[in-house]
């Protein structure tokens, strides 16, 4: 991966960004790898040398690194920060670095810091849930200690006080602690094995030049089409619906109009996976769009 500096950002940040890549130690797989879609992992490995990212676009991952340093400085009694644990699953070594473990002497609470957007925070976060439960499983296997709860400390990077005042489902503060369901250990272990198998199979398919397993709708972070009721002279929507008929009724009532906000696969279109230019699945959706626009 090549780090570019198109906007003359200070070299300190460039050096930090270059060092910033997630390490999985000596393990075969990291927790973040196995929970992410196999297609992304195979494409990232295949095109790693060609991948490029500008340091100016890495703000949030830089701040993520900074947060870990700050968190270590603010360590309280019973807190264990940034501990990497590794456990063998048959012939595969799986490892994960846990942001914060709070040990009360009997049980452990696991907390992971996430910089996220207000929109993302309101979506179903199965990946977060799976990741934290795998950490709980690692703690139990590697340390023999029970975990009492798993949670996320979300830092909402685009938080708006005004939105919080008018929308009850909007995060009410820029920092949110979210408790996640704690899975039985048997369920977690079955999930781990299933994910490792998927990644192994994708790797073999990739090595043989076969089509990779496609990303699912959840993997692609599908944002559904929505219908905003708007009025002339007003910047913000009166209300946003996921149903066009309901939007039309309100638009008639307030003498406004409906603006269609087309849904999209956010991870693909925003290239949050970093590999959309080499992804056959995404490129074929673009070709299909071109064809339907041309017909
Ligand atoms: S572009 Fe979309 S479909 Fe392709 S690897 Fe990335 S997330 Fe998956």
């Amino acid at each position: 991966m090549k780090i570019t500096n198109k906007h003359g950002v200070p070299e300190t940040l460039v050096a930090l960004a270059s060092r910033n890549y997630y390490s999985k130690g000596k393990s075969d797989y990291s927790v973040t790898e196995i929970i992410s879609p196999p297609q992304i992992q195979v494409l990232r490995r295949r095109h790693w040398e060609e991948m490029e990212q500008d340091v100016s676009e890495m703000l949030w991952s830089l701040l993520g690194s900074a947060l870990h340093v700050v968190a270590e400085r603010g360590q309280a009694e019973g807190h264990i920060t940034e501990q990497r644990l590794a456990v063998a699953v048959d012939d595969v070594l799986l490892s994960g670095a846990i942001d914060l473990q709070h040990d009360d002497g009997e049980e452990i609470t696991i907390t992971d810091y996430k910089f996220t957007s207000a929109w993302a925070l309101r979506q179903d976060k199965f990946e977060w849930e799976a990741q934290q439960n795998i950490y709980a499983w690692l703690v139990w296997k590697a340390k023999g200690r029970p975990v009492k709860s798993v949670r996320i400390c979300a830092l909402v990077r685009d938080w708006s006080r005004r939105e919080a005042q008018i929308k009850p489902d909007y995060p009410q503060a820029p920092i949110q602690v979210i408790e996640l369901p704690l899975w039985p250990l048997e369920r977690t272990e079955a999930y781990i094995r299933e994910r490792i198998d998927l990644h192994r199979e994708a790797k073999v398919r990739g090595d043989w030049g076969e089509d990779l397993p496609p990303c699912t709708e959840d993997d692609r972070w599908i944002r559904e089409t929505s219908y905003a009721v708007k009025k002339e002279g007003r910047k913000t929507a009166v209300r946003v619906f996921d149903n066009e008929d309901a939007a039309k009724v309100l638009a008639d009532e307030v003498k406004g109009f409906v603006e269609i906000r087309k849904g999209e696969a956010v991870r693909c279109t925003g290239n949050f996976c970093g590999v959309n230019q080499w992804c056959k699945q995404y490129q074929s959706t673009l070709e299909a769009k071109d064809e339907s626009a041309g017909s």
Side-chain angles (χ1 to χ4, degrees), residues 37 39-41 43 213-216 219-221 265-269 271-283:
Q39 175 163 241
I40 296 181
Q41 291 304 324
L43 291 175
C215 292
T216 64
D219 294 337
R220 296 161 64 222
W221 302 346
V266 178
R267 198 179 212 165
C268 310
T269 53
N271 198 21
F272 291 106
C273 60
V275 290
N276 71 1
Q277 63 177 300
W278 300 290
C279 172
K280 276 192 196 167
Q281 185 182 359
Y282 176 61
Q283 293 302 327

Side-chain angles (χ1 to χ4, degrees), residues 87-132:
V87 169
V89 185
D90 300 332
D91 57 341
V92 166
L93 192 62
L94 173 69
S95 80
I98 305 172
D99 283 351
L100 172 63
Q101 297 167 71
H102 179 208
D103 190 343
D104 65 11
E106 289 182 11
E107 294 173 309
I108 290 177
T109 298
I110 292 178
T111 308
D112 206 44
Y113 297 108
K114 302 269 187 216
F115 278 105
T116 186
S117 68
W119 174 78
L121 194 58
R122 284 180 287 170
Q123 308 308 305
D124 187 27
K125 279 279 168 278
F126 179 79
E127 275 191 18
W128 288 359
E129 189 178 317
Q131 184 185 19
Q132 300 319 304

